[in-house]
Amino acid sequence: MTYGFRIKLNWDRIEPSLVDAFGNLPVANVSDSMSRICGLGTSMRPMHRSGTLAGPALTVRTRPGDNLMLHKAIDMAQRGDVIIVDAAADMANSLMGELMLAHAIRRGVAGFVLNGAIRDAEAFLEHNLPTFAVGVTHRGPYRTGPGEIGLPIAINGTVVEPGDLILGDIDGVVCVPKAHAADVLKGTIKKHEAEAKQMAETKAGTVNRDWVDKALKEAGCEFLE
């Protein structure tokens, strides 16, 4: 085996029912339910026009600016997979463009999370496949490797295991470990319902704001005339 060239062929994926259950919940509420420590960084921004991302992670690690393993990952992907790539946030070369995007759509890939750059940005807007990346550059990639597929990766301190749940919306991207997804779902639904109740009270003018002055008092705030 050449070091840095490894491809794992099989792993467990999060249950499709859980993917569907998370699909309409805001990423912000999922993040809050996970103590706000499982995001993939503020630089990860949507490159598509609109819509959300949800699906099991197909993990890729590659040398910055190289997409050989990303090509292979698209060929390997099961319908509904989210291909998530650690390319060290390098933006000197793009990881993919319009041709690879078209191939991924044909393969049924649910979307991409790229810790790197894209090119052919208008194609991503036009086709609107959920895609998150850290930037855009016209310079193309190399295709020599090294890289890995189907093994754990880390992006901005968050470890992503193959098969974990990846969620994305306009606020960013989070990873929900598949082993804890059911518990996180319960917490997220509870958070979402509480926010909906608060929003209704806010619009009706009945929301209780006493907590603000209580927090200021506990902090020892001085009010000046």
Side-chain angles (χ1 to χ4, degrees), residues 62-67 70 87-97 114-119 133-143:
T62 187
R63 181 173 66 85
D66 192 287
N67 72 1
L70 178 52
D90 182 82
M91 292 197 295
N93 299 83
S94 62
L95 292 174
M96 63 178 293
L114 307 171
N115 194 22
I118 65 163
R119 68 174 181 178
V134 298
V136 178
T137 179
H138 57 82
R139 289 198 288 190
Y142 299 97
R143 296 181 182 176

Side-chain angles (χ1 to χ4, degrees), residues 25-75:
L25 294 171
V27 163
N29 287 349
V30 178
S31 176
D32 286 351
S33 299
M34 300 178 71
S35 302
R36 306 182 178 101
I37 63 169
C38 291
L40 299 185
T42 56
S43 61
M44 197 70 71
R45 304 307 305 154
M47 298 291 142
H48 56 294
R49 186 174 65 254
S50 63
T52 60
L53 174 66
L58 195 172
T59 55
V60 181
R61 183 185 178 194
T62 187
R63 181 173 66 85
D66 192 287
N67 72 1
L68 177 62
M69 288 296 182
L70 178 52
H71 274 281
K72 180 60 178 176
I74 295 173
D75 290 344

Side-chain angles (χ1 to χ4, degrees), residues 26 38 41 59 65 95 107 130 149 155 162 193 215:
C38 291
T59 55
L95 292 174
R107 291 281 304 157
I149 298 173
I155 296 178
E193 291 175 345

Side-chain angles (χ1 to χ4, degrees), residues 6 9 28 53 58-59 63 69-70 81 88 111 115 122 139 154 157 160 169 175 187 194 213 218 220 222:
R6 294 190 298 172
L9 299 177
L53 174 66
L58 195 172
T59 55
R63 181 173 66 85
M69 288 296 182
L70 178 52
D81 278 350
N115 194 22
E122 286 190 0
R139 289 198 288 190
V160 181
D169 63 19
C175 172
D213 286 337
E218 291 176 351
E222 181 181 2

Side-chain angles (χ1 to χ4, degrees), residues 146-163:
E148 298 180 334
I149 298 173
L151 295 164
I153 61 173
I155 296 178
N156 287 309
T158 294
V159 175
V160 181
E161 299 273 355

